Amino acid sequence: MPADLTMSAPIATSYAGPALEMTGIGKRFPGVLALENVDLTLEPGKVHALMGENGAGKSTLIKILAGVYQKDAGSMRIGGAETAFKTPRDALRQGVKVVFQEIALISEFTVAENIFLEEYPTDAVGSIRWTTIRKDAAALFERIGFGVDPAAKVGNLPVSQQQMVEIARALAHRARIVVMDEPTSSLTPKEVDLLFAVIRRLTGLGIAVLYVTHKLDEVFEIADTVTVLRDGRHISTKPIAAHSHDSLIQDMIGRRIENLFPRSRGPARGETILSVEGLSTSKLKDIAFEAKAGEVLGFFGLMGAGRTELAKAIVGFDPIRTGRITIGGKRLAPHDTRTGVSLGIGLLTEDRKSEGLMLELPVLQNTSLAALGNFARSGFVDEGSERSAVQEFVDRFRVKTPSLNQPIKNLSGGNQQKVLLARWLMRGLKVIVVDEPTRGIDVGAKSEIFALIDRLAGEGLAVVMMTSEMPELLGLSDRIAVMAEGRITKILNRDEATQEAILNAAIG
Amino acid sequence: MPQSASVSTFRDTNSARDLLVSLFRRNETVLLLCLVVLIAYFSFASGSFFTVRNITNVLGQASLAMIAGIGVGVLIIAGEIDVSIGSLAGAVAIPLVVIMNHGGSLELGIAGALALALLVGAINGYLAAYLGINSLIVTLGSMFVIRGGIYLYTGQKAIPDKQGLESFYQIGNGRLFGTVPYPALVALALLIGFMYLMRHRPFGRKIYAVGGNPEVARLAGFNVKRIKFLCFIISALLAGIAGILLSSRLGSAVHVAGLGFEFQVVAAVVLGGVSLAGGVGSLFGVALGVLILSFLSNGLGMLNLATEWQLVTTGAIIIAAVGFDEMKRRRQ
């Protein structure tokens, strides 16, 4: 990659057709068909939006474009020539730059150095030409109008400016196609305006932009064309002018989802166990809700809406700014999981591996962890009673494991999740918060987890369920709270909750 | 985007005040200041501290830790660590002295010593960088293995230098113009060379990148494993050089030479502002860290503080300094 930054435009080609043509793209993961026969065409100088619900296949498609995944079927042409990327470097070399949500910069380096990371300009004896780096970076920024100081340390910049650095890096490598994955998820409205100005500059230079999002307003503001994916399939590609809010939502949702999860319990009539008032944190604003014994309260929100943050705040895992959380009439001390556990609230985390399980330890210890106090005899754990109590839960929840001594890492995702549920129930909980309970679990085990959650509510627990999956939300919840940008925008009763109503509230 | 936005966010580096502020944010400035204050204090407190003899003596002693500290510093910046350097510094004296005792030249002895260092560095590096075994464990293991090997070979006795080459004595004990110890010159040359490497060669920048964010480094096309491997070699070779000079000062291959040296060096490196998390720090800082600890120990000795209390003081200062640095970083 030449370090010739005097060229602000991408490599000129005589080819006048589309910048990128993907046809019939397919990608299969073990047990899942992530993409099937997907087409996508990007025109130079245009913004193409890629939309779809969580799990529609957007991420898979852009990872193929980034060289992170390889396609199993279909063809990809850049500037008219057939191509395929084996590594992220390949993609970059052929002019495709993907700006992921997670910024890929060295935070200890300056902005200018990050731009030249792939290839430092050096002099005859191989020393780095720092002046060239500084001057070229400054010249590049001036030309594309980025308000970023090239001498600043990247780690000290706000995310919005880090994004701009990534985009500038793309230009330094003369990218012809820039893909942005949910670029506004951590930006303020002002920064979003700046980003849009930058995108318009890119298209002005003839660069094709693929803008991946699920925010409708942004699409109407910036996109020329919209492609919608659903369940890994291509649904529609239309000019933005041919769409209305409703028609886009319709394309994203498609069919009505059947109630896949018949509930065994009747309507919840218990008393309020959990009550949250005026809860605010750095990510959450003025959250208030109540959860009753015997009910499943579902929380829905798109990426970045604040579901996980809420889950962690109400169990006392994360600090809060203001607000009051009471469980069974007793106030929970903020940022203190100990009183949370003793008052009877537990969290089933979204990330089982890093925040839930002790992977190397056997089923026994993983299950009894939170309830060890129950088995204490003069300061020692009485293993006999520990074992029999754990065995009881393992049988009740039908955890498939050869023995209690089996390391938990050898169990399937569904069975690991059951162990985590058992861990909390042994403790004698009143409220359980479950965050994305079926993430990474195969379909068969999913319905078992659903049945388990249904049964727990039936036994009188209040279940607070954070989910981004419509079917489990609609199937399990008694009430549905919808979040957008850190607020609860709507709380719907089971009978008034439709996909349209939920998605409309989630878009905010 | 309006042009004015790009202008207003640029730092006005012309302002002298900003320059001062940014200078004092730098870890090295604070360390340099500490060193100056330390030297000034001891000069007042003890009449024999600020003499040419004493200062050059301290520099001579500090240079061994500085040479090894450069290597360990590079390795910690790359996100790894090496605690086998003390054993290695002790071990290289054996081929050195044995070769000379069998009639070999000093040069041949040094070549043998460095060959041993190269071998150890390659083994450490292969196990840690290529096989992915935690480098603290790998080098802790090799620290014991090497020390055990020394005891086995020497029968827990020193091997005296029988040939008594003047050149062997001179490299560790000689002084340029009768004042500046040769080891200090070696340390200075290596410091300048490696500072240049880390700041002005792509390889040095890659070391920072690999330690700062290996994933990003890999995406940028760097060979992360190879870079880390080479850093283990650098660390071992510099420990070897320190060991050669140490052996010259001791006049033999001493079986307990370099015991505890690794922790002295790691302490100085960390005091110098190198983060154990990798990717952060400078070799200039490392040099200052070494000098501070050396002058501290020398000065406290001159004030007749008992060795026991010197240890306590030094340890407390290291924790305080690194803790202060950590808090400063969190506030930013």
Side-chain angles (χ1 to χ4, degrees), chain B residues 34-109:
Chain B
C34 288
L35 182 62
V36 171
V37 169
L38 202 67
I39 291 175
Y41 171 75
F42 285 128
S43 304
F44 279 110
S46 160
S48 42
F49 178 82
F50 201 74
T51 57
V52 174
R53 191 75 215 166
N54 186 51
I55 297 291
T56 53
N57 270 346
V58 176
L59 289 178
Q61 286 154 11
S63 46
L64 300 187
M66 193 172 304
I67 292 166
I70 293 165
V72 173
V74 167
L75 193 55
I76 294 181
I77 288 170
E80 303 290 337
I81 197 168
D82 186 350
V83 295
S84 69
I85 54 154
S87 294
L88 180 58
V92 293
I94 296 175
L96 176 66
V97 171
V98 167
I99 286 172
M100 287 190 301
N101 284 352
H102 282 80
S105 67
L106 174 66
E107 289 77 8
L108 201 61

Side-chain angles (χ1 to χ4, degrees), chain B residues 91-297:
Chain B
V92 293
I94 296 175
L96 176 66
V97 171
V98 167
I99 286 172
M100 287 190 301
N101 284 352
H102 282 80
S105 67
L106 174 66
E107 289 77 8
L108 201 61
I110 289 177
L114 292 182
L116 176 65
L118 192 67
L119 178 72
V120 170
I123 293 172
N124 281 342
Y126 179 75
L127 293 174
Y130 284 102
L131 296 189
I133 309 173
N134 181 295
S135 59
L136 179 62
I137 307 300
V138 167
T139 57
L140 201 60
S142 48
M143 171 182 104
F144 287 125
V145 171
I146 297 166
R147 186 61 66 185
I150 296 173
Y151 291 164
L152 283 172
Y153 188 87
T154 61
Q156 309 230 39
K157 289 192 300 275
I159 304 175
D161 164 35
K162 290 178 195 144
Q163 213 190 22
L165 288 173
E166 174 62 15
S167 57
F168 176 53
Y169 174 82
Q170 281 295 330
I171 53 170
N173 301 284
R175 286 166 184 253
L176 183 68
F177 310 127
T179 41
V180 189
Y182 287 139
L185 292 176
V186 176
L188 185 66
L190 287 169
L191 180 65
I192 291 170
F194 275 93
M195 275 171 67
Y196 165 75
L197 173 85
M198 296 302 276
R199 283 186 194 174
H200 296 287
R201 302 296 292 198
F203 179 66
R205 304 313 296 171
K206 287 177 183 178
I207 293 173
Y208 275 101
V210 161
N213 194 332
E215 198 49 34
V216 175
R218 207 178 55 81
L219 285 176
F222 301 167
N223 190 338
V224 173
K225 289 176 181 171
R226 188 169 151 265
I227 291 167
K228 287 192 170 184
F229 177 79
L230 290 173
C231 290
F232 278 98
I233 302 268
I234 289 173
S235 167
L237 281 178
L238 292 187
I241 293 174
I244 292 166
L245 296 173
L246 179 65
S247 162
S248 159
R249 292 174 85 96
L250 299 170
S252 53
V254 181
H255 57 294
V256 291
L259 265 182
F261 183 56
E262 57 280 333
F263 294 109
Q264 241 177 297
V265 170
V266 170
V269 169
V270 170
L271 181 66
V274 176
S275 161
L276 284 176
V280 180
S282 76
L283 294 183
F284 185 53
V286 169
L288 290 171
V290 171
L291 289 178
I292 287 175
L293 286 187
S294 303
F295 277 111
L296 190 68
S297 129

Side-chain angles (χ1 to χ4, degrees), chain A residues 113 125 127-128 130 145 201, chain B residues 1 9 196 199-201 205:
Chain A
E113 185 171 1
V125 295
S127 296
I128 297 171
W130 286 112
R201 262 170 215 271
Chain B
M1 194 182 325
T9 46
Y196 165 75
R199 283 186 194 174
H200 296 287
R201 302 296 292 198
R205 304 313 296 171

